[in-house]
Amino acid sequence: MKHVAQQIVMQKLRQLTVEDILHYSQKYHIKVTQNEAKQIVAALKKNQENPFDPEGRKRMLKNLAAITSTETAKSVQHILIKLAKEHGVEHWLQ
């Protein structure tokens, strides 16, 4: 069941919109500009890494930092952690 749920989350990440990213950034008080949100969305659509695997998440964030900035990648990591906590699955990110 965990694997299926993780696949659903990964699909959702690929379907996020700029508005979604901006909404979550405001909700969690993480600074993300409109341009950064566009870059994040583009990167997530192409992402093949598993964010639930520590090494996959590290590669995903490193790739995102190369496209945007280290600060933007850190913002995405913070949003991902906050969302996982909100949904009670933060242990999946261990």
Coordinates of all heavy atoms in Angstrom, one line a residue:
M1 N 0.8 -1.2 0.0 CA 0.0 0.0 0.0 C 0.9 1.3 0.0 O 0.5 2.2 -0.7 CB -0.9 0.0 1.2 CG -1.8 1.1 1.3 SD -3.0 1.1 -0.1 CE -4.0 2.4 0.4
K2 N 2.0 1.2 0.8 CA 2.9 2.4 0.8 C 3.4 2.7 -0.6 O 3.4 3.9 -0.9 CB 4.0 2.1 1.8 CG 5.0 3.2 1.9 CD 6.1 2.8 2.9 CE 7.2 3.8 2.9 NZ 8.3 3.5 3.8
H3 N 3.8 1.7 -1.3 CA 4.3 1.9 -2.7 C 3.3 2.6 -3.6 O 3.6 3.6 -4.3 CB 4.8 0.6 -3.3 CG 5.4 0.8 -4.6 ND1 6.6 1.4 -4.9 CD2 4.9 0.4 -5.9 CE1 6.8 1.4 -6.2 NE2 5.8 0.8 -6.8
V4 N 2.0 2.2 -3.5 CA 1.0 2.8 -4.3 C 0.8 4.3 -3.9 O 0.7 5.1 -4.8 CB -0.4 2.0 -4.1 CG1 -1.5 2.7 -4.8 CG2 -0.2 0.6 -4.7
A5 N 0.7 4.5 -2.6 CA 0.6 5.9 -2.1 C 1.7 6.8 -2.6 O 1.5 7.9 -3.0 CB 0.4 5.9 -0.6
Q6 N 2.9 6.2 -2.5 CA 4.1 7.0 -3.0 C 4.0 7.3 -4.5 O 4.4 8.4 -4.9 CB 5.4 6.3 -2.7 CG 5.7 6.3 -1.2 CD 7.0 5.6 -0.8 OE1 7.6 4.9 -1.7 NE2 7.5 5.8 0.4
Q7 N 3.5 6.4 -5.3 CA 3.4 6.6 -6.7 C 2.3 7.7 -7.0 O 2.5 8.5 -7.9 CB 2.9 5.3 -7.4 CG 4.0 4.2 -7.5 CD 5.2 4.7 -8.3 OE1 5.1 5.4 -9.3 NE2 6.4 4.4 -7.8
I8 N 1.3 7.7 -6.2 CA 0.3 8.8 -6.3 C 0.9 10.1 -6.0 O 0.6 11.1 -6.7 CB -0.9 8.5 -5.4 CG1 -1.7 7.2 -5.9 CG2 -1.9 9.7 -5.3 CD1 -2.7 6.7 -5.0
V9 N 1.7 10.2 -4.9 CA 2.3 11.4 -4.5 C 3.3 11.9 -5.6 O 3.3 13.1 -6.0 CB 3.1 11.3 -3.2 CG1 3.9 12.5 -2.9 CG2 2.1 11.1 -2.1
M10 N 4.0 11.0 -6.2 CA 5.0 11.3 -7.3 C 4.2 11.9 -8.5 O 4.6 12.8 -9.1 CB 5.9 10.1 -7.6 CG 6.9 9.8 -6.5 SD 7.8 8.3 -6.7 CE 8.6 8.6 -8.3
Q11 N 3.1 11.3 -8.8 CA 2.3 11.7 -9.9 C 1.8 13.1 -9.6 O 1.7 14.0 -10.5 CB 1.1 10.8 -10.2 CG 0.2 11.2 -11.4 CD 1.0 11.2 -12.7 OE1 1.9 10.4 -12.9 NE2 0.6 12.1 -13.6
K12 N 1.3 13.4 -8.4 CA 0.8 14.7 -8.0 C 1.9 15.7 -8.1 O 1.7 16.9 -8.6 CB 0.3 14.6 -6.6 CG -0.2 16.0 -6.0 CD -1.3 16.6 -6.8 CE -1.7 17.9 -6.2 NZ -2.6 18.7 -7.0
L13 N 3.2 15.4 -7.8 CA 4.3 16.3 -7.9 C 4.5 16.7 -9.4 O 4.7 17.9 -9.6 CB 5.6 15.7 -7.4 CG 5.8 15.6 -5.9 CD1 7.0 14.8 -5.5 CD2 5.8 17.0 -5.2
R14 N 4.3 15.8 -10.3 CA 4.4 16.1 -11.7 C 3.3 17.0 -12.2 O 3.4 17.5 -13.3 CB 4.5 14.8 -12.5 CG 5.9 14.1 -12.3 CD 6.0 12.9 -13.2 NE 7.1 12.1 -12.7 CZ 7.0 11.0 -12.0 NH1 5.8 10.5 -11.8 NH2 8.1 10.3 -11.7
Q15 N 2.2 17.0 -11.5 CA 1.0 17.7 -11.9 C 0.8 19.1 -11.3 O -0.1 19.8 -11.5 CB -0.3 16.9 -11.7 CG -0.3 15.7 -12.6 CD -1.5 14.8 -12.2 OE1 -2.2 15.0 -11.2 NE2 -1.8 13.8 -13.1
L16 N 1.8 19.4 -10.4 CA 1.7 20.7 -9.7 C 1.7 21.9 -10.7 O 2.4 21.8 -11.7 CB 2.8 20.9 -8.7 CG 2.7 20.1 -7.4 CD1 3.9 20.2 -6.6 CD2 1.5 20.5 -6.6
T17 N 1.0 22.9 -10.4 CA 1.0 24.1 -11.2 C 1.8 25.2 -10.5 O 2.1 25.1 -9.3 CB -0.4 24.6 -11.4 OG1 -1.0 25.0 -10.2 CG2 -1.3 23.6 -12.1
V18 N 2.0 26.3 -11.2 CA 2.7 27.5 -10.6 C 1.9 28.0 -9.5 O 2.4 28.3 -8.4 CB 2.9 28.6 -11.7 CG1 3.4 29.9 -11.1 CG2 3.9 28.1 -12.8
E19 N 0.6 28.0 -9.7 CA -0.3 28.5 -8.6 C -0.2 27.6 -7.4 O -0.3 28.1 -6.2 CB -1.8 28.6 -9.1 CG -2.0 29.6 -10.2 CD -1.5 29.2 -11.6 OE1 -1.3 28.0 -11.8 OE2 -1.3 30.2 -12.4
D20 N -0.1 26.3 -7.6 CA 0.0 25.4 -6.4 C 1.3 25.7 -5.6 O 1.3 25.8 -4.4 CB 0.1 23.9 -6.9 CG -1.2 23.4 -7.5 OD1 -2.3 23.9 -7.1 OD2 -1.1 22.5 -8.3
I21 N 2.4 25.8 -6.4 CA 3.7 26.1 -5.7 C 3.6 27.4 -4.9 O 4.0 27.5 -3.8 CB 4.8 26.2 -6.7 CG1 5.0 24.9 -7.4 CG2 6.1 26.7 -6.1 CD1 5.5 23.7 -6.6
L22 N 3.0 28.5 -5.5 CA 2.9 29.8 -4.9 C 1.9 29.7 -3.6 O 2.2 30.3 -2.6 CB 2.4 30.8 -5.8 CG 3.4 31.2 -6.9 CD1 2.7 32.1 -8.0 CD2 4.7 31.8 -6.4
H23 N 0.9 28.9 -3.8 CA 0.0 28.7 -2.6 C 0.7 28.0 -1.5 O 0.6 28.5 -0.3 CB -1.2 27.8 -3.1 CG -2.0 27.3 -1.9 ND1 -2.9 28.0 -1.2 CD2 -2.0 26.0 -1.3 CE1 -3.5 27.3 -0.3 NE2 -2.9 26.1 -0.3
Y24 N 1.4 26.9 -1.7 CA 2.1 26.3 -0.7 C 3.3 27.1 -0.1 O 3.5 27.1 1.1 CB 2.7 24.9 -1.1 CG 1.7 23.9 -1.4 CD1 1.5 23.2 -2.6 CD2 0.7 23.5 -0.4 CE1 0.6 22.3 -2.8 CE2 -0.2 22.6 -0.6 CZ -0.3 22.0 -1.8 OH -1.3 21.0 -2.1
S25 N 3.9 27.9 -0.9 CA 5.0 28.8 -0.4 C 4.4 29.8 0.5 O 5.0 30.1 1.6 CB 5.7 29.4 -1.5 OG 5.0 30.4 -2.2
Q26 N 3.2 30.4 0.2 CA 2.6 31.3 1.1 C 2.1 30.6 2.4 O 2.3 31.1 3.5 CB 1.4 32.0 0.4 CG 1.8 33.0 -0.6 CD 0.6 33.7 -1.2 OE1 -0.5 33.1 -1.3 NE2 0.8 35.0 -1.6
K27 N 1.5 29.4 2.2 CA 0.9 28.7 3.4 C 2.0 28.4 4.4 O 1.8 28.5 5.6 CB 0.3 27.4 2.9 CG -0.3 26.6 4.0 CD -1.0 25.4 3.4 CE -1.6 24.5 4.5 NZ -2.4 23.4 3.9
Y28 N 3.2 28.0 3.9 CA 4.3 27.6 4.8 C 5.3 28.7 5.0 O 6.4 28.5 5.6 CB 5.0 26.4 4.3 CG 4.0 25.2 4.3 CD1 3.7 24.6 3.1 CD2 3.4 24.7 5.4 CE1 2.8 23.5 3.0 CE2 2.5 23.7 5.4 CZ 2.2 23.1 4.2 OH 1.3 22.1 4.1
H29 N 5.0 29.9 4.5 CA 5.9 31.1 4.7 C 7.3 30.9 4.2 O 8.3 31.1 4.8 CB 5.9 31.5 6.2 CG 4.6 31.7 6.8 ND1 3.8 32.8 6.5 CD2 3.9 30.9 7.6 CE1 2.7 32.7 7.1 NE2 2.7 31.5 7.8
I30 N 7.4 30.4 2.9 CA 8.6 30.1 2.2 C 8.6 31.0 1.0 O 7.7 30.9 0.2 CB 8.7 28.6 1.9 CG1 8.7 27.8 3.2 CG2 10.0 28.4 1.1 CD1 8.6 26.3 2.9
K31 N 9.7 31.8 0.9 CA 9.8 32.7 -0.2 C 10.1 32.0 -1.6 O 11.1 31.4 -1.7 CB 10.8 33.8 0.0 CG 10.9 34.9 -1.0 CD 11.9 35.9 -0.6 CE 11.9 37.1 -1.6 NZ 12.6 36.8 -2.8
V32 N 9.1 32.1 -2.5 CA 9.3 31.6 -3.8 C 8.7 32.6 -4.8 O 7.5 33.0 -4.6 CB 8.6 30.2 -4.0 CG1 8.6 29.7 -5.5 CG2 9.1 29.2 -3.1
T33 N 9.4 33.0 -5.8 CA 8.9 34.0 -6.7 C 8.1 33.3 -7.8 O 8.2 32.1 -8.0 CB 10.1 34.8 -7.4 OG1 10.9 33.9 -8.2 CG2 11.0 35.5 -6.4
Q34 N 7.4 34.1 -8.6 CA 6.7 33.5 -9.7 C 7.6 32.8 -10.7 O 7.3 31.7 -11.2 CB 5.9 34.7 -10.5 CG 5.2 34.3 -11.7 CD 3.7 33.9 -11.4 OE1 3.2 34.2 -10.3 NE2 3.1 33.3 -12.3
N35 N 8.7 33.4 -11.0 CA 9.7 32.8 -11.9 C 10.2 31.5 -11.4 O 10.4 30.5 -12.1 CB 10.8 33.8 -12.3 CG 11.7 33.3 -13.3 OD1 11.3 32.8 -14.4 ND2 13.0 33.3 -13.1
E36 N 10.6 31.5 -10.1 CA 11.1 30.3 -9.4 C 10.0 29.2 -9.5 O 10.3 28.0 -9.7 CB 11.5 30.6 -8.0 CG 12.8 31.4 -7.9 CD 13.1 31.8 -6.5 OE1 12.1 32.0 -5.7 OE2 14.3 32.0 -6.2
A37 N 8.7 29.6 -9.2 CA 7.7 28.6 -9.3 C 7.5 28.0 -10.6 O 7.3 26.7 -10.8 CB 6.3 29.3 -8.9
K38 N 7.7 28.8 -11.7 CA 7.7 28.2 -13.1 C 8.8 27.2 -13.3 O 8.6 26.2 -13.9 CB 7.8 29.4 -14.1 CG 6.6 30.2 -14.2 CD 6.8 31.3 -15.2 CE 5.6 32.3 -15.2 NZ 5.8 33.4 -16.1
Q39 N 10.0 27.6 -12.8 CA 11.2 26.7 -12.9 C 11.0 25.4 -12.1 O 11.3 24.3 -12.6 CB 12.4 27.4 -12.5 CG 12.8 28.5 -13.4 CD 14.0 29.3 -12.8 OE1 14.0 29.7 -11.6 NE2 14.9 29.7 -13.7
I40 N 10.4 25.5 -10.9 CA 10.1 24.3 -10.1 C 9.1 23.4 -10.8 O 9.3 22.2 -10.9 CB 9.6 24.8 -8.7 CG1 10.6 25.5 -7.9 CG2 9.0 23.5 -8.0 CD1 10.1 26.2 -6.7
V41 N 8.1 24.0 -11.3 CA 7.1 23.2 -12.0 C 7.7 22.4 -13.2 O 7.5 21.2 -13.4 CB 5.9 24.0 -12.5 CG1 5.0 23.3 -13.5 CG2 5.1 24.5 -11.2
A42 N 8.5 23.2 -14.0 CA 9.1 22.5 -15.2 C 10.1 21.4 -14.7 O 10.1 20.3 -15.4 CB 9.9 23.6 -16.0
A43 N 10.8 21.6 -13.7 CA 11.7 20.6 -13.2 C 11.0 19.4 -12.7 O 11.4 18.2 -12.9 CB 12.6 21.2 -12.1
L44 N 9.9 19.6 -11.9 CA 9.1 18.5 -11.4 C 8.5 17.6 -12.4 O 8.4 16.4 -12.3 CB 8.1 19.0 -10.4 CG 8.6 19.5 -9.0 CD1 7.5 20.1 -8.2 CD2 9.4 18.4 -8.3
K45 N 8.1 18.3 -13.5 CA 7.4 17.5 -14.6 C 8.4 16.6 -15.3 O 8.1 15.5 -15.7 CB 6.9 18.5 -15.7 CG 5.6 19.2 -15.2 CD 5.0 20.0 -16.3 CE 3.9 20.9 -15.9 NZ 2.8 20.2 -15.1
K46 N 9.7 16.9 -15.3 CA 10.8 16.1 -15.9 C 11.4 15.1 -14.9 O 12.1 14.2 -15.3 CB 11.9 17.0 -16.4 CG 11.5 17.9 -17.6 CD 12.7 18.7 -18.0 CE 12.3 19.9 -18.7 NZ 13.5 20.8 -19.0
N47 N 11.1 15.3 -13.6 CA 11.8 14.6 -12.5 C 11.5 13.1 -12.6 O 10.4 12.7 -12.7 CB 11.4 15.1 -11.2 CG 12.0 14.3 -10.1 OD1 13.2 14.1 -10.0 ND2 11.2 13.8 -9.1
Q48 N 12.6 12.3 -12.6 CA 12.4 10.8 -12.6 C 12.9 10.2 -11.3 O 12.9 9.0 -11.1 CB 13.2 10.2 -13.7 CG 12.7 10.6 -15.1 CD 11.3 10.2 -15.3 OE1 10.9 9.0 -15.1 NE2 10.4 11.1 -15.8
E49 N 13.4 11.1 -10.4 CA 13.9 10.6 -9.1 C 12.8 10.4 -8.1 O 11.7 11.0 -8.2 CB 14.9 11.7 -8.5 CG 16.1 12.0 -9.3 CD 17.1 10.8 -9.5 OE1 17.0 9.9 -8.7 OE2 17.9 10.9 -10.4
N50 N 13.0 9.4 -7.2 CA 12.1 9.1 -6.1 C 12.3 10.0 -4.9 O 13.3 9.8 -4.2 CB 12.2 7.6 -5.7 CG 11.2 7.2 -4.7 OD1 10.5 8.0 -4.1 ND2 11.2 6.0 -4.4
P51 N 11.4 11.0 -4.6 CA 11.7 11.8 -3.5 C 11.6 11.1 -2.1 O 12.0 11.7 -1.1 CB 10.6 12.9 -3.6 CG 9.5 12.2 -4.4 CD 10.2 11.3 -5.3
F52 N 11.1 9.9 -2.1 CA 11.0 9.2 -0.9 C 12.3 8.4 -0.6 O 12.5 7.9 0.5 CB 9.8 8.2 -0.9 CG 8.5 9.0 -1.0 CD1 7.9 9.0 -2.2 CD2 8.0 9.7 0.0 CE1 6.7 9.7 -2.4 CE2 6.9 10.5 -0.1 CZ 6.2 10.4 -1.3
D53 N 13.2 8.3 -1.5 CA 14.5 7.7 -1.4 C 15.5 8.8 -1.0 O 15.5 9.8 -1.8 CB 14.9 6.9 -2.6 CG 16.3 6.5 -2.6 OD1 16.7 5.7 -1.7 OD2 17.1 6.9 -3.5
P54 N 16.2 8.7 0.1 CA 17.1 9.8 0.4 C 18.0 10.2 -0.7 O 18.2 11.4 -0.9 CB 17.8 9.3 1.7 CG 16.9 8.3 2.2 CD 16.2 7.6 1.1
E55 N 18.6 9.2 -1.4 CA 19.5 9.5 -2.5 C 18.8 10.1 -3.7 O 19.3 11.1 -4.3 CB 20.3 8.3 -2.9 CG 21.4 7.9 -1.8 CD 22.4 9.0 -1.5 OE1 22.9 9.6 -2.4 OE2 22.6 9.2 -0.3
G56 N 17.6 9.6 -4.0 CA 16.8 10.1 -5.1 C 16.4 11.6 -4.8 O 16.4 12.4 -5.7
R57 N 16.0 11.8 -3.5 CA 15.6 13.2 -3.1 C 16.8 14.1 -3.3 O 16.7 15.3 -3.7 CB 15.0 13.2 -1.7 CG 14.5 14.5 -1.3 CD 13.7 14.5 0.0 NE 14.4 13.9 1.1 CZ 14.2 12.6 1.6 NH1 13.2 11.9 1.1 NH2 14.9 12.2 2.6
K58 N 17.9 13.7 -2.8 CA 19.2 14.5 -2.9 C 19.5 14.8 -4.4 O 19.8 16.0 -4.7 CB 20.3 13.7 -2.3 CG 21.6 14.5 -2.1 CD 22.6 13.6 -1.4 CE 23.9 14.3 -1.2 NZ 24.9 13.5 -0.5
R59 N 19.4 13.8 -5.3 CA 19.6 14.1 -6.7 C 18.6 15.0 -7.3 O 18.9 16.0 -8.0 CB 19.7 12.8 -7.5 CG 20.9 12.0 -7.3 CD 21.0 10.8 -8.2 NE 19.9 9.9 -8.0 CZ 19.9 8.8 -7.2 NH1 20.9 8.6 -6.5 NH2 18.8 8.0 -7.1
M60 N 17.3 14.8 -6.9 CA 16.2 15.7 -7.4 C 16.5 17.1 -7.0 O 16.4 18.1 -7.8 CB 14.9 15.2 -6.8 CG 13.7 16.1 -7.2 SD 12.2 15.5 -6.5 CE 12.2 16.4 -4.9
L61 N 16.8 17.4 -5.7 CA 17.1 18.7 -5.2 C 18.3 19.3 -5.8 O 18.4 20.5 -6.1 CB 17.1 18.7 -3.7 CG 15.8 18.4 -3.0 CD1 15.9 18.2 -1.6 CD2 14.7 19.5 -3.3
K62 N 19.3 18.5 -6.1 CA 20.6 19.0 -6.7 C 20.3 19.4 -8.1 O 20.8 20.5 -8.6 CB 21.6 17.9 -6.7 CG 23.0 18.3 -7.2 CD 24.0 17.2 -7.1 CE 25.3 17.7 -7.6 NZ 26.4 16.6 -7.5
N63 N 19.5 18.6 -8.9 CA 19.1 19.0 -10.2 C 18.3 20.3 -10.2 O 18.5 21.1 -11.1 CB 18.3 17.9 -10.9 CG 19.1 16.6 -11.2 OD1 20.4 16.7 -11.2 ND2 18.5 15.5 -11.3
L64 N 17.4 20.4 -9.3 CA 16.6 21.6 -9.2 C 17.5 22.8 -8.9 O 17.3 23.9 -9.4 CB 15.5 21.4 -8.1 CG 14.6 22.6 -7.9 CD1 13.8 22.9 -9.2 CD2 13.6 22.3 -6.8
A65 N 18.4 22.7 -8.0 CA 19.4 23.8 -7.6 C 20.1 24.2 -8.9 O 20.4 25.4 -9.0 CB 20.3 23.3 -6.5
A66 N 20.5 23.2 -9.7 CA 21.3 23.6 -10.9 C 20.4 24.4 -11.9 O 20.9 25.3 -12.6 CB 21.8 22.3 -11.6
I67 N 19.1 24.1 -11.9 CA 18.2 24.8 -12.8 C 17.8 26.2 -12.2 O 17.7 27.2 -13.0 CB 16.9 24.0 -13.1 CG1 17.3 22.7 -13.8 CG2 15.9 24.8 -13.9 CD1 16.2 21.7 -13.8
T68 N 17.6 26.2 -10.9 CA 17.1 27.4 -10.3 C 18.2 28.0 -9.4 O 19.0 28.7 -9.9 CB 15.8 27.2 -9.5 OG1 16.1 26.2 -8.5 CG2 14.7 26.7 -10.4
S69 N 18.1 27.7 -8.2 CA 19.2 28.2 -7.2 C 19.1 27.2 -6.0 O 18.2 26.5 -5.8 CB 18.9 29.6 -6.8 OG 17.8 29.6 -5.9
T70 N 20.2 27.3 -5.2 CA 20.2 26.5 -4.0 C 19.1 26.9 -3.1 O 18.5 26.0 -2.5 CB 21.6 26.7 -3.3 OG1 22.6 26.3 -4.2 CG2 21.7 25.8 -2.1
E71 N 18.8 28.2 -3.0 CA 17.8 28.6 -2.1 C 16.4 28.1 -2.5 O 15.6 27.7 -1.7 CB 17.7 30.2 -2.1 CG 18.9 30.8 -1.4 CD 20.2 30.8 -2.3 OE1 20.0 30.8 -3.6 OE2 21.3 30.8 -1.8
T72 N 16.2 28.0 -3.9 CA 14.9 27.5 -4.4 C 14.8 26.0 -4.1 O 13.7 25.6 -3.6 CB 14.8 27.8 -5.9 OG1 14.8 29.2 -6.1 CG2 13.5 27.2 -6.4
A73 N 15.9 25.3 -4.3 CA 15.8 23.9 -4.0 C 15.6 23.6 -2.5 O 14.8 22.7 -2.1 CB 17.2 23.2 -4.4
K74 N 16.2 24.5 -1.6 CA 15.9 24.3 -0.2 C 14.4 24.6 0.1 O 13.8 24.0 1.0 CB 16.8 25.3 0.6 CG 18.2 24.8 0.7 CD 19.1 25.7 1.4 CE 20.6 25.2 1.5 NZ 21.5 26.1 2.1
S75 N 13.9 25.6 -0.6 CA 12.5 25.9 -0.4 C 11.6 24.8 -0.8 O 10.6 24.4 -0.1 CB 12.1 27.2 -1.3 OG 12.7 28.3 -0.8
V76 N 11.9 24.1 -1.9 CA 11.1 22.9 -2.3 C 11.2 21.8 -1.3 O 10.2 21.2 -0.9 CB 11.6 22.4 -3.7 CG1 11.0 21.1 -4.0 CG2 11.2 23.4 -4.8
Q77 N 12.4 21.6 -0.7 CA 12.6 20.6 0.3 C 11.8 21.0 1.5 O 11.1 20.1 2.1 CB 14.1 20.5 0.7 CG 14.3 19.5 1.8 CD 15.8 19.3 2.1 OE1 16.6 20.1 1.7 NE2 16.1 18.2 2.7
H78 N 11.7 22.2 1.9 CA 10.9 22.6 3.1 C 9.4 22.4 2.8 O 8.7 21.9 3.7 CB 11.2 24.1 3.5 CG 12.5 24.4 4.0 ND1 13.0 23.8 5.2 CD2 13.5 25.1 3.6 CE1 14.2 24.2 5.5 NE2 14.6 25.0 4.5
I79 N 9.0 22.7 1.6 CA 7.6 22.5 1.3 C 7.3 21.0 1.3 O 6.2 20.6 1.9 CB 7.2 23.1 -0.1 CG1 7.3 24.7 0.0 CG2 5.9 22.7 -0.6 CD1 7.2 25.4 -1.4
L80 N 8.1 20.2 0.8 CA 7.9 18.8 0.7 C 7.8 18.2 2.2 O 6.9 17.4 2.5 CB 9.1 18.1 0.0 CG 9.0 16.6 -0.2 CD1 7.7 16.2 -1.0 CD2 10.2 16.1 -0.9
I81 N 8.7 18.6 3.0 CA 8.7 18.2 4.4 C 7.4 18.6 5.1 O 6.7 17.9 5.8 CB 9.9 18.7 5.2 CG1 11.2 17.9 4.6 CG2 9.8 18.5 6.7 CD1 12.5 18.6 5.1
K82 N 7.0 19.9 4.9 CA 5.8 20.4 5.5 C 4.6 19.6 5.1 O 3.7 19.3 5.9 CB 5.6 21.9 5.2 CG 6.7 22.8 5.8 CD 6.4 23.1 7.3 CE 7.3 24.2 7.7 NZ 7.0 24.6 9.1
L83 N 4.5 19.4 3.7 CA 3.3 18.6 3.2 C 3.3 17.2 3.8 O 2.2 16.7 4.1 CB 3.4 18.6 1.7 CG 3.0 19.9 1.0 CD1 3.3 19.8 -0.5 CD2 1.5 20.1 1.2
A84 N 4.5 16.6 3.9 CA 4.5 15.2 4.4 C 4.1 15.2 5.9 O 3.3 14.3 6.3 CB 6.0 14.7 4.3
K85 N 4.5 16.2 6.6 CA 4.0 16.3 8.0 C 2.5 16.5 8.1 O 1.9 15.9 8.9 CB 4.8 17.4 8.8 CG 6.2 17.0 9.1 CD 6.9 18.1 9.9 CE 8.3 17.8 10.2 NZ 9.1 18.8 10.9
E86 N 2.1 17.4 7.3 CA 0.6 17.7 7.3 C -0.2 16.4 7.0 O -1.3 16.3 7.5 CB 0.4 18.8 6.2 CG -1.1 19.2 6.2 CD -1.3 20.3 5.1 OE1 -0.6 21.4 5.3 OE2 -2.1 20.1 4.2
H87 N 0.3 15.5 6.2 CA -0.4 14.3 5.8 C 0.0 13.1 6.6 O -0.5 12.0 6.3 CB -0.3 14.1 4.3 CG -1.0 15.1 3.5 ND1 -0.8 16.5 3.6 CD2 -2.0 15.0 2.5 CE1 -1.6 17.2 2.8 NE2 -2.3 16.3 2.1
G88 N 0.8 13.3 7.6 CA 1.2 12.2 8.5 C 2.1 11.2 7.9 O 2.2 10.0 8.3
V89 N 2.9 11.5 6.8 CA 3.8 10.6 6.2 C 5.2 11.1 6.2 O 6.0 10.7 5.3 CB 3.3 10.3 4.7 CG1 2.0 9.5 4.7 CG2 3.3 11.5 3.9
E90 N 5.6 11.9 7.1 CA 6.9 12.4 7.2 C 8.0 11.3 7.4 O 9.1 11.4 6.9 CB 7.1 13.5 8.3 CG 6.9 13.0 9.7 CD 5.5 13.1 10.2 OE1 4.5 13.3 9.4 OE2 5.3 12.9 11.4
H91 N 7.6 10.2 7.9 CA 8.5 9.0 8.1 C 8.9 8.5 6.7 O 9.9 7.8 6.6 CB 7.9 7.9 9.0 CG 6.6 7.4 8.5 ND1 5.4 8.1 8.6 CD2 6.3 6.3 7.8 CE1 4.4 7.4 8.1 NE2 4.9 6.3 7.6
W92 N 8.1 8.7 5.7 CA 8.5 8.3 4.3 C 9.7 9.0 3.8 O 10.4 8.6 2.9 CB 7.3 8.5 3.4 CG 6.2 7.6 3.5 CD1 6.0 6.6 4.5 CD2 5.0 7.6 2.8 NE1 4.8 6.0 4.3 CE2 4.1 6.6 3.3 CE3 4.5 8.4 1.7 CZ2 2.9 6.3 2.8 CZ3 3.2 8.1 1.2 CH2 2.4 7.1 1.8
L93 N 10.0 10.2 4.4 CA 11.1 11.0 3.9 C 12.4 10.7 4.7 O 13.4 11.4 4.6 CB 10.8 12.5 4.0 CG 9.6 12.9 3.1 CD1 9.3 14.4 3.4 CD2 9.9 12.7 1.7
Q94 N 12.4 9.7 5.6 CA 13.6 9.4 6.4 C 14.6 8.7 5.6 O 14.4 8.0 4.7 CB 13.1 8.5 7.6 CG 12.0 9.1 8.4 CD 12.4 10.2 9.4 OE1 13.4 10.0 10.1 NE2 11.7 11.3 9.4

